[in-house]
Amino acid sequence: SDPLQRLHCLHNASLSYQSLLELPVGSGDTDLDRIKMKIKSMNSEADKIESLYINSLVSVHNQCNHQLDKTLKVRQKLEMNLVALTSHDKSRGLVVDAWDDMWWDDFLLVVRLHGSEIQQKQLCERVWMDMDGYIQNSLVESANQSDIVLFPGFSDINGLR
């Protein structure tokens, strides 16, 4: 039932029959003709199975290549979009770096307009905790440096802006 296994069996059987042909034949030409016909039939079937098997592999390979090409094109387009996002010309007033577009200011404005007082306070506390942790780590690493500028104090979203 497995075509590849059948191909293997046909190939081995045809080799066996061919080795029989090389032996001296004593019973007559009819046995020899029958063996030759059987070998020819088996070789033909083996070629057919091999061809179908290779064609199916080529089809799968081509489909995989097509899918890979499609995926690579999507990835390349996304990479180009990312590069375009971070490398526009400043002279035209476009973004040069992701930080230059002041995205955080837009975020803080949205939080101020649409966030509850509790959400605003939680955001301020979280930023303060993160910055305080960063400053404490910096002070430990550079205890002898006097040029460290501490993060300015703030108590609301407007202080972050």
Side-chain angles (χ1 to χ4, degrees), residues 19-97:
S19 67
L20 281 176
L21 286 176
E22 295 170 2
L23 294 176
V25 181
S27 63
D29 290 337
T30 57
D31 289 337
L32 185 61
D33 289 340
R34 201 167 37 113
I35 292 172
K36 286 180 181 179
M37 295 263 302
K38 185 66 175 172
I39 291 172
K40 188 174 181 181
S41 166
M42 291 170 71
N43 283 335
S44 173
E45 189 176 352
D47 290 344
K48 183 176 156 186
I49 291 172
E50 183 179 14
S51 174
L52 289 172
Y53 185 74
I54 289 175
N55 287 342
S56 69
L57 289 179
V58 167
S59 175
V60 168
H61 177 74
N62 289 339
Q63 184 61 30
C64 289
N65 274 342
H66 176 71
Q67 187 66 32
L68 179 63
D69 288 343
K70 199 162 84 170
T71 304
L72 284 175
K73 286 178 184 176
V74 168
R75 189 186 109 218
Q76 288 171 344
K77 183 177 180 182
L78 291 172
E79 284 178 355
M80 288 173 43
N81 289 344
L82 182 60
V83 168
L85 177 68
T86 60
S87 63
H88 288 293
D89 185 8
K90 258 189 178 173
S91 65
R92 296 185 300 169
L94 298 173
V95 177
V96 171
D97 189 302

Side-chain angles (χ1 to χ4, degrees), residues 14 17 19 23 26 37 42 70 75 89 102 113 115 120 124 130 133 137 143 146 149 158:
S14 69
Y17 275 124
S19 67
L23 294 176
M37 295 263 302
M42 291 170 71
K70 199 162 84 170
R75 189 186 109 218
D89 185 8
M102 305 287 287
L113 293 175
Q120 292 179 30
C124 289
D130 288 347
N137 288 337
S146 61
V149 178
N158 291 328

